[in-house]
Amino acid sequence: MERTFHMLLYRAFHAQRNYLRPCFGRIGLGAGQPKLLIYLQQHGPCRQKLLAEYFEIDPAAVSRMVDSLQKGQFVRRQQDTASRRSDLVELTEKGQQAVADWKSFCAQEEALMLKGFTQQERAQFADYLVRAYQNLREYKGADECGN
């Protein structure tokens, strides 16, 4: 197996996604949707714009995901009393249950992925991933492709 960080991260991400993909269907969610539900559970109702900014994804993509989640009755929109031009997205009971189910699947995946790691290694691994993410976030304003 190639040992460049790029390929190692890519392969680990791909293996994780392949492990979790069947779980989407069991809950009735699509790709990318669980993270929105988890955010809403942790932070409460919010505007779609905030979700797009937090996850660094296109606002139109968030809108499509929220539309789908609303059709599936995982979320509901309510008028934002602070701004008549925007809605707040909030979890429903079905959304709360989906988050609980998703977290259970992720805990199983994490246990499998980190089997044989000590608590110290797990903490270090998490720290390394956070630092790598922060390094890339700092670079975000620079030109594309390292220029």
Side-chain angles (χ1 to χ4, degrees), residues 52-57 133-145:
E53 290 170 359
Y54 182 81
F55 289 109
E56 303 172 13
I57 55 179
Y133 171 76
Q134 289 170 340
N135 289 342
L136 289 171
R137 286 292 296 141
E138 289 174 15
Y139 179 80
K140 188 175 183 180
D143 289 344
E144 301 272 334
C145 300

Side-chain angles (χ1 to χ4, degrees), residues 29 32-57 62 65-66 69 74-75 88-91 95-96 98-100 102-103:
L29 297 175
Q33 293 177 339
K35 66 184 173 215
L36 299 182
L37 297 181
I38 290 170
Y39 183 92
L40 292 170
Q41 182 195 48
Q42 293 173 344
H43 297 94
C46 70
R47 295 181 182 153
Q48 289 179 195
K49 181 179 178 180
L50 180 63
L51 292 169
E53 290 170 359
Y54 182 81
F55 289 109
E56 303 172 13
I57 55 179
V62 171
M65 283 191 270
V66 170
L69 288 167
F74 296 103
V75 300
L88 295 176
V89 180
E90 69 177 337
L91 280 180
Q96 292 282 3
V99 169
W102 183 252
K103 285 182 174 182

Side-chain angles (χ1 to χ4, degrees), residues 13-30:
F13 167 74
H14 225 14
Q16 177 191 44
R17 194 171 71 188
N18 287 339
Y19 179 90
L20 291 171
R21 185 174 292 146
C23 304
F24 288 127
R26 292 185 202 160
I27 303 172
L29 297 175

